[in-house]
Amino acid sequence: TLDPNVDVLQPEDVTEAMLEKIHMFGRKVYDSATGTCCHQCRQKTKDTKTVCRSGHCIGLKGQFCGSCLNNRYGESVREALLDPHWRCPPCRRICNCSFCLETPTGQLYYLAKSKGFKSVHHYLEHLRAKWDTEDAREEAVEEMEEDEEE
């Protein structure tokens, strides 16, 4: 395991100028030379991204822009940057980007919001719980039917 505190931006090193550059709304500033890439949207822009402090993360895997982290996971880049223990969605095994999931979920944001969910992640958690409950119910019914036959 890598030491998550070596060569990684620490909360005490985060400046107000960095926090002001977190993207939330409007147009992004693209820069293929000096921009950083968001793990979720893959856009190389000049806005401030998250820093994963899991000790396992490498490359752009732990970098999320403000709009993606908020819309897809209901989280804040500001809070992530100021948390010395923040771990990115891939390290928490909750990433819903097109590379991490077999089934892309790119169009779910507006559906999740229209159904009253805070983010795509919250909507997917709801669907998973519902699916797990339905599977458990079906398994119980099958078990009862098998018991009745014996």
Side-chain angles (χ1 to χ4, degrees):
T1 304
L2 298 173
D3 182 346
N5 299 313
V6 174
D7 296 327
V8 175
L9 179 72
Q10 293 301 302
E12 59 271 12
D13 299 322
V14 174
T15 65
E16 194 57 41
M18 291 172 162
L19 296 174
E20 288 172 6
K21 287 176 47 180
I22 295 170
H23 181 267
M24 288 306 296
F25 309 102
R27 299 180 64 104
K28 291 186 174 187
V29 178
Y30 297 91
D31 189 331
S32 60
T34 62
T36 54
C37 191
C38 170
H39 176 85
Q40 188 84 35
C41 66
R42 309 282 189 242
Q43 296 180 16
K44 199 168 185 183
T45 58
K46 294 190 75 124
D47 51 295
T48 302
K49 313 285 190 304
T50 58
V51 174
C52 181
R53 299 187 179 99
S54 71
H56 303 283
C57 214
I58 55 169
L60 74 90
K61 190 169 97 172
Q63 295 184 149
F64 286 77
C65 69
S67 46
C68 284
L69 194 66
N70 179 62
N71 296 343
R72 305 295 297 194
Y73 305 95
E75 297 179 24
S76 158
V77 170
R78 172 183 282 272
E79 290 174 16
L81 287 171
L82 297 176
D83 180 351
H85 307 290
W86 187 81
R87 293 170 44 222
C88 68
C91 286
R92 286 182 277 155
R93 303 181 65 86
I94 63 166
C95 188
N96 57 49
C97 81
S98 61
F99 288 142
C100 292
L101 286 183
E102 289 180 25
T103 305
T105 60
Q107 302 305 311
L108 285 182
Y109 174 69
Y110 295 106
L111 178 63
K113 291 305 256 187
S114 73
K115 292 185 175 288
F117 291 91
K118 183 177 179 181
S119 70
V120 171
H121 173 70
H122 291 91
Y123 180 51
L124 291 174
E125 278 186 328
H126 167 78
L127 292 177
R128 170 61 74 179
K130 184 177 174 185
W131 183 68
D132 288 347
T133 303
E134 287 174 3
D135 275 359
R137 192 178 317 123
E138 286 175 22
E139 286 174 16
V141 168
E142 286 172 13
E143 242 178 75
M144 287 188 326
E145 288 172 353
E146 288 173 6
D147 289 343
E148 287 173 3
E149 289 173 9
E150 293 177 359

